[in-house]
């Protein structure tokens, strides 16, 4: 066995500020070692341990069917369905060992593909008809509106064609966050097939290399955005069949696009009829009991990560989605809620002591570490992303270093920064020092996904970035021949916000579906409060496709921005250097990789002879600028001119640099010329 005695030392070398909390980190490491040994015993790996779906649930054999459940506190179980005319007594399960129940059904045709099933669970003298825990598909009864389990056993095997696709988790991710149901323009729920045929080509054309799918795990309430999961092994029937999802992922892989699943292991729906809550008649089968098992803000149930059977269920779920559906990794939802007993609610994580205390949920930390271990065993190149707003140290360091093992954390403070600035501070008062500090402040050697807005910022009650900037003018002044100053300002700032975010905000980048062209308004799913309308639960692709509208400018800029950072490997560069911060005039310049970035956030002043330090002598040329006409600009930047670096005036501290014209609210990117550019 690996000697883990000093496993935590590496994290202390990376971040010396953690030294006062060495005891806490060692406790984290020791618990990981002991709990993993408890789970696996001798000579077993995680991949062979996490096979719950291969034992439980429905399995077709050569002579019939085997169905098993884990219900340790139940008194009796009966399989019911259309195969036995819902007879509550004819097919009892037999209790075997370790709280497990089993029934053998003679004959391969006893259950058929698309058969409807439930299991009647008797506990504490009460009978409840439940959906099997490991069911692969559920459907809603159109007459009664209740959900039923459905056997998914087609007489063919899905033919994958993606054997040559392999995700490279060392390369930067350009993530397209998407919700299949609201991905179409129609007033209704989009399908997996529509997403495959209509949206995937748009994602590819836009330049994104990863799609992150929301709401894939079965959830009975459509408006929950998929975050109140009921059936953890079932594909959401709102969008289609399991094979439809496989076809989507297969097609994405053939396009060179990796696919991540939004994994919800932080909590579960409280519903008894549809979900796993009180399956065996107790509130502690899967969840913590009492108040500890209730999320005060989400009204959901909280898993007991200390219970081996629960961890087995969740780890089996992690493995299942990768192996069965070829997902390339996960965005773990609600990680901050998992890390702390108070779920981080109302806590300002202003110093390190907030991360290490009696409030820290060590059991959840151990689960996340082991889940990341398992993912590497199953698919070594897979990517994991933590949705953590607290900034827990070590989140994205290897478990062997004393970290939690994620590849990335979401830079959740960045969109909050933009929302706060747009709501509270006129852009003529924006501080360049603040922008630099907020966008570059990260844990050492831990990678982040930068983004200016996700689905969170667009939910009803809030607004997308472009709607924050343009307001009601969006409805009447988006024609290209309409020179409206509010919309002009909105587009100029929209470009600057996205561009400074992608270049400074992380080692990966995320965009929510439609925001690449400035999708207006908010997201509001059909509900009683809006008379069950789909008006705001869709994407208006026609706005981007209409060449008469300015949305095309925003879309063109997004494509150009991604193409530039890919070409010059900007997100992989580790040599970021602040060249110049002009707080008074609102200019910020920095070098990253082989490029120099110059931002002018000044709302009105164009600097015709601005002295820009370049650090090195030589000749420089503009390789990108936001003022191009195809981006809605005025073509005031000369991309053919060759700038010669020379000593600057005394106020630039005798630095070497160039003199350049910088229009207001514009970003200019320069590269040092190769020999072919020289005179």
């Amino acid at each position: 066995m690996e000697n883990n005695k000093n496993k935590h030392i590496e994290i202390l070398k990376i971040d010396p500020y953690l030294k006062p909390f060495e005891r806490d980190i060692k406790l984290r490491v020791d618990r990981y070692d002991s709990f993993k040994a408890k789970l696996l015993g001798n000579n077993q790996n995680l991949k062979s341990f996490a096979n719950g779906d291969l034992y439980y649930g429905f399995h077709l054999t050569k002579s019939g069917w085997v169905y098993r459940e884990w219900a340790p506190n139940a008194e009796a179980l009966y399989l019911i369905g259309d195969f036995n005319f819902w007879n509550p007594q004819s097919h009892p399960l037999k209790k075997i060992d370790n709280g497990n129940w089993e029934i053998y059904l003679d004959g391969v045709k006893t259950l058929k593909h698309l058969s409807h099933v439930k299991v009647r669970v008797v506990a504490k003298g009460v009978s409840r008809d439940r959906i099997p825990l490991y069911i692969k598909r559920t459907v809603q009864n159109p007459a009664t509106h209740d959900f039923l389990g459905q056997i998914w056993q087609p007489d063919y095997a899905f033919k994958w064609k993606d054997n040559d696709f392999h995700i490279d988790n060392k390369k930067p991710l350009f993530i397209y966050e998407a919700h299949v149901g609201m991905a179409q323009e129609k007033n209704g729920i989009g399908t997996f097939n529509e997403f495959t045929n209509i949206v995937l080509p748009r994602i590819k054309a836009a330049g994104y290399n990863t799609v992150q799918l929301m709401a894939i795990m079965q959830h009975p309430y459509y408006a929950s955005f998929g975050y109140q999961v009921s059936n953890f092994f079932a594909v959401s029937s709102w969008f289609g069949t399991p094979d439809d999802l496989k076809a989507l992922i297969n097609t994405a892989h053939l396009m060179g696009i990796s696919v991540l699943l939004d994994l919800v292991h932080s909590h579960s729906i409280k519903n008894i009829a549809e979900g796993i809550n009180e399956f065996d008649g107790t509130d502690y089968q899967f969840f913590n009991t009492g108040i500890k098992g209730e999320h005060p803000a989400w009204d959901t149930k909280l898993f007991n990560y200390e219970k081996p059977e629960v961890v087995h269920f969740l780890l089996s779920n992690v493995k299942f989605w990768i192996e069965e559906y070829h997902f390339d990794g996960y965005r773990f939802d609600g990680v901050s809620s998992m890390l702390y007993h108070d779920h981080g609610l109302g806590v300002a994580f202003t110093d390190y002591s907030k991360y290490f205390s009696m409030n820290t949920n060590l059991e959840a930390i151990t689960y996340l570490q082991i889940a990341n271990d398992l993912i590497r065993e199953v698919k070594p190149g897979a990517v994991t992303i933590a949705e953590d707003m607290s900034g827990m140290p070590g989140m994205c360091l290897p478990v062997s270093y004393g970290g939690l093992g994620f590849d990335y954390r979401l830079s959740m403070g960045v969109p909050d920064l933009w929302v706060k600035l747009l709501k509270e501070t006129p852009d003529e008062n924006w501080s360049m020092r603040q922008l630099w500090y907020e966008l570059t402040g990260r844990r050492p050697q831990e990678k982040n996904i930068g983004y200016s807005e996700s689905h969170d910022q667009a939910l009803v009650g809030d607004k997308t970035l472009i709607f924050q900037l343009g307001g009601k003018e969006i409805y009447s002044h988006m024609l290209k021949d309409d020179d409206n100053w509010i919309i002009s300002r909105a587009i100029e700032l929209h470009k600057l916000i996205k561009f400074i975010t992608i270049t400074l905000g992380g080692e990966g980048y995320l965009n929510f579906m439609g925001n690449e062209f400035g999708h207006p308004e908010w997201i509001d799913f059909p509900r009683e409060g809006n008379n069950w309308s789909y008006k705001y639960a869709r994407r208006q692709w026609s706005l981007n496709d209409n060449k008469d509208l300015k949305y095309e400018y925003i879309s063109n800029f997004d494509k150009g921005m991604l193409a530039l950072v890919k070409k010059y490997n900007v997100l992989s560069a580790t040599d970021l250097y602040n060249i110049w911060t002009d707080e008074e005039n609102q200019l910020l310049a920095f070098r990253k990789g082989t490029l120099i970035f110059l931002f002018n956030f000044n709302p009105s002043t164009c600097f015709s002879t601005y002295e820009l330090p370049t650090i090195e002598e030589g000749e420089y040329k503009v390789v990108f600028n936001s003022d191009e006409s195809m981006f809605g600009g005025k073509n005031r930047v000369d991309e053919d001119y060759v700038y010669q670096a020379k000593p600057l005036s005394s106020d630039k501290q005798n630095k070497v640099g160039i003199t350049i014209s910088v229009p207001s609210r514009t970003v200019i990117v320069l590269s040092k010329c190769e020999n072919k550019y020289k005179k």
Side-chain angles (χ1 to χ4, degrees):
M1 180 181 287
E2 178 188 357
N3 183 358
N4 293 326
K5 183 178 179 181
N6 296 316
K7 185 189 289 184
H8 64 289
I9 298 299
E10 198 66 33
I11 192 174
L12 301 180
K13 292 179 182 177
I14 292 170
D15 189 351
Y17 289 105
L18 289 171
K19 184 66 177 176
F21 307 97
E22 181 175 2
R23 182 178 177 182
D24 298 272
I25 294 174
K26 187 176 187 303
L27 181 62
R28 173 196 295 181
V29 171
D30 290 345
R31 194 190 185 284
Y32 160 83
D33 289 336
S34 62
F35 191 74
K36 191 172 181 180
K38 179 180 179 180
L39 285 181
L40 302 183
N42 296 323
N43 303 318
Q44 189 181 26
N45 58 32
L46 285 167
K47 188 175 180 180
S48 61
F49 170 78
N51 281 331
D53 60 297
L54 301 183
Y55 179 77
Y56 297 107
F58 295 88
H59 300 281
L60 180 61
T61 70
K62 292 182 178 180
S63 58
W65 290 81
V66 176
Y67 166 55
R68 299 187 188 95
E69 285 289 6
W70 175 62
N73 295 287
E75 297 161 11
L77 274 73
Y78 301 89
L79 179 61
I80 58 177
D82 48 21
F83 78 99
N84 66 359
F85 303 100
W86 303 95
N87 187 320
Q89 299 294 327
S90 63
H91 288 77
L93 277 71
K94 179 183 177 182
K95 192 169 187 178
I96 46 179
D97 55 354
N98 301 317
N100 296 321
W101 299 76
E102 179 182 82
I103 186 173
Y104 173 72
L105 303 174
D106 189 28
V108 295
K109 294 185 178 180
T110 308
L111 292 176
K112 297 179 181 179
H113 178 54
L114 306 182
S115 293
H116 294 150
V117 292
K118 281 190 173 183
V119 57
R120 176 158 294 186
V121 181
V122 181
K124 299 178 181 178
V126 177
S127 296
R128 289 171 171 162
D129 293 345
R130 306 299 302 268
I131 295 175
L133 292 176
Y134 283 80
I135 199 73
K136 303 300 193 295
R137 176 169 164 80
T138 74
V139 292
Q140 193 171 22
N141 187 324
T144 62
H145 302 294
D146 65 318
F147 282 82
L148 309 168
Q150 187 176 60
I151 301 297
W152 187 260
Q153 192 73 38
D155 57 5
Y156 59 87
F158 183 85
K159 295 182 179 179
W160 291 96
K161 299 179 181 179
D162 64 346
N163 289 338
D164 293 333
F165 178 82
H166 300 285
I167 184 172
D168 185 351
N169 60 12
K170 304 302 181 188
K171 291 185 178 180
L173 302 181
F174 298 94
I175 302 173
Y176 198 87
E177 184 186 35
H179 183 280
V180 170
M182 59 177 289
Q184 305 308 317
E185 191 151 355
K186 65 183 182 182
N187 280 293
I189 300 176
T191 67
F192 289 129
N193 290 336
E194 288 173 325
F195 192 93
T196 301
N197 297 325
I198 299 172
V199 183
L200 279 180
R202 289 182 179 273
I203 296 172
K204 178 69 174 178
Y208 291 87
N209 62 14
T210 305
V211 59
Q212 177 183 304
L213 292 179
M214 309 170 66
I216 294 302
M217 302 162 77
Q218 178 64 31
H219 50 288
Y221 184 45
Y222 182 58
S224 75
F225 229 143
Y227 291 121
Q228 293 199 2
V229 173
S230 54
N231 312 104
F232 285 79
F233 291 82
V235 173
S236 174
S237 55
W238 293 113
F239 314 133
T241 71
D243 281 3
D244 293 339
L245 175 59
K246 290 178 180 179
L248 187 162
I249 297 171
N250 190 61
T251 303
H253 285 169
L254 295 177
M255 290 180 171
I257 299 171
S258 57
V259 187
L260 306 182
L261 173 67
D262 217 340
L263 188 73
V264 186
H265 281 184
S266 49
H267 61 133
S268 177
I269 198 168
K270 291 178 74 171
N271 300 29
I272 291 174
E274 296 92 358
I276 66 174
N277 188 21
E278 297 186 25
F279 184 83
D280 73 345
T282 67
D283 68 348
Y284 54 82
Q285 181 183 4
F286 286 99
F287 309 115
N288 291 306
T289 190
I291 296 176
K292 190 178 179 182
E294 307 280 340
H295 198 291
W298 299 341
D299 194 32
T300 51
K301 299 295 293 184
L302 299 173
F303 287 103
N304 181 353
Y305 303 107
E306 193 169 14
K307 196 170 182 178
E309 295 89 347
V310 174
V311 172
H312 179 249
F313 177 82
L314 294 174
L315 291 178
S316 298
N317 193 237
V318 166
K319 180 183 175 185
F320 169 77
W321 289 101
I322 292 177
E323 291 201 330
E324 181 70 18
Y325 291 97
H326 291 203
F327 277 100
D328 301 298
Y330 298 107
R331 178 258 202 194
F332 278 70
D333 176 68
V335 169
S336 300
S337 176
M338 298 172 70
L339 296 177
Y340 311 100
H341 292 301
D342 64 6
H343 314 298
L345 298 173
V347 179
F349 292 89
T350 52
D351 62 79
Y352 276 44
S353 64
K354 300 291 179 65
Y355 303 112
F356 305 103
S357 67
M358 295 296 290
N359 185 37
T360 306
N361 189 338
L362 282 175
E363 291 80 15
I365 288 175
T366 300
Y367 168 68
L368 292 170
Q369 291 174 314
I370 292 174
N372 274 302
D373 277 352
L374 169 64
I375 291 164
R376 308 303 172 220
E377 283 188 24
V378 176
K379 197 167 193 173
V383 171
T384 59
I385 303 168
E387 190 212 22
D388 169 41
M389 46 71 63
S390 74
M392 168 65 79
M395 181 69 70
C396 302
L397 292 177
V399 174
S400 61
Y401 285 18
L404 272 70
F406 286 93
D407 293 298
Y408 298 87
R409 64 154 46 91
L410 291 175
S411 291
M412 299 183 72
V414 174
D416 290 345
L417 165 71
W418 294 122
V419 170
K420 185 176 176 62
L421 281 176
L422 290 171
K423 288 183 175 180
E424 299 178 5
T425 308
D427 64 284
E428 59 265 26
N429 295 331
W430 287 3
S431 165
M432 300 299 101
R433 292 192 186 98
Q434 180 191 13
L435 290 183
W436 175 264
Y437 174 79
E438 296 286 355
L439 291 169
T440 60
R442 293 196 278 284
R443 298 272 178 219
Q445 296 187 34
E446 299 195 41
K447 294 192 294 186
N448 283 38
I449 300 291
Y451 62 107
S452 54
E453 57 181 336
S454 68
H455 72 277
D456 284 329
Q457 284 69 47
L459 291 171
V460 65
D462 216 324
K463 301 172 182 176
T464 60
L465 265 182
I466 197 66
F467 207 26
Q468 290 272 14
L469 290 161
K472 62 181 176 59
E473 307 300 316
I474 286 284
Y475 294 112
S476 53
H477 295 285
M478 287 298 283
L479 283 169
K480 289 180 179 178
D481 59 3
D482 186 337
D483 190 17
N484 179 273
W485 75 270
I486 293 177
I487 294 300
S488 295
R489 169 188 176 272
I491 293 177
E492 289 168 356
L493 283 177
H494 195 268
K495 291 185 289 186
L496 291 184
I497 288 171
K498 291 208 296 187
F499 199 78
I500 198 169
T501 297
I502 198 173
T503 51
L504 291 182
E507 292 71 34
Y509 180 72
L510 179 143
N511 165 75
F512 178 65
M513 176 177 65
N515 290 349
E516 72 277 9
F517 66 86
H519 197 283
E521 301 172 334
W522 48 81
I523 298 166
D524 189 13
F525 284 94
R527 55 188 174 85
E528 188 175 3
N530 64 18
N531 200 26
W532 305 104
S533 171
Y534 288 91
K535 180 179 180 181
Y536 298 112
R538 59 196 182 103
R539 296 288 89 178
Q540 300 179 64
W541 304 109
S542 59
L543 295 175
N544 182 44
D545 296 340
N546 188 336
K547 303 301 182 184
D548 294 328
L549 298 177
K550 296 175 183 176
Y551 294 102
E552 186 186 18
Y553 294 151
I554 302 173
S555 177
N556 288 342
F557 181 80
D558 199 79
K559 290 179 185 176
M561 175 181 78
L562 263 61
L564 177 87
V565 298
K566 286 180 182 178
K567 178 179 179 180
Y568 291 93
N569 297 314
V570 174
L571 271 61
S572 300
T574 58
D575 58 350
L576 178 64
Y577 179 76
N578 188 324
I579 293 176
W580 195 254
T581 303
D582 188 336
E583 190 75 357
E584 180 181 356
N585 292 312
Q586 291 186 285
L587 282 91
L588 175 66
F590 56 87
R591 184 180 68 185
K592 193 173 185 183
T594 61
L595 302 179
I596 292 175
F597 300 84
L598 174 60
F599 287 84
N600 180 7
F601 277 90
N602 196 297
S604 57
T605 304
C606 300
F607 300 92
S608 57
T609 55
Y610 193 81
E611 292 188 327
L612 171 67
T614 58
I615 311 301
E616 297 178 337
E617 295 183 353
E619 296 178 337
Y620 293 82
K621 202 172 183 185
V622 174
V623 293
F624 184 87
N625 82 91
S626 63
D627 197 48
E628 288 190 55
S629 58
M630 67 181 296
F631 304 150
K634 300 176 182 177
N635 279 332
R636 290 168 291 180
V637 177
D638 188 348
E639 293 201 352
D640 293 324
Y641 188 79
V642 177
Y643 297 88
Q644 180 68 51
K646 56 186 179 181
L648 301 176
S649 59
S650 58
D651 70 320
K652 292 295 190 297
Q653 303 170 5
N654 297 318
K655 293 178 182 289
V656 171
I658 63 173
T659 301
I660 188 171
S661 176
V662 193
S664 61
R665 290 200 185 112
T666 298
V667 57
I668 297 174
V669 185
L670 298 111
S671 178
K672 196 172 183 181
C673 294
E674 303 290 343
N675 290 334
K676 62 182 179 180
Y677 290 136
K678 292 186 177 181
K679 297 176 183 176

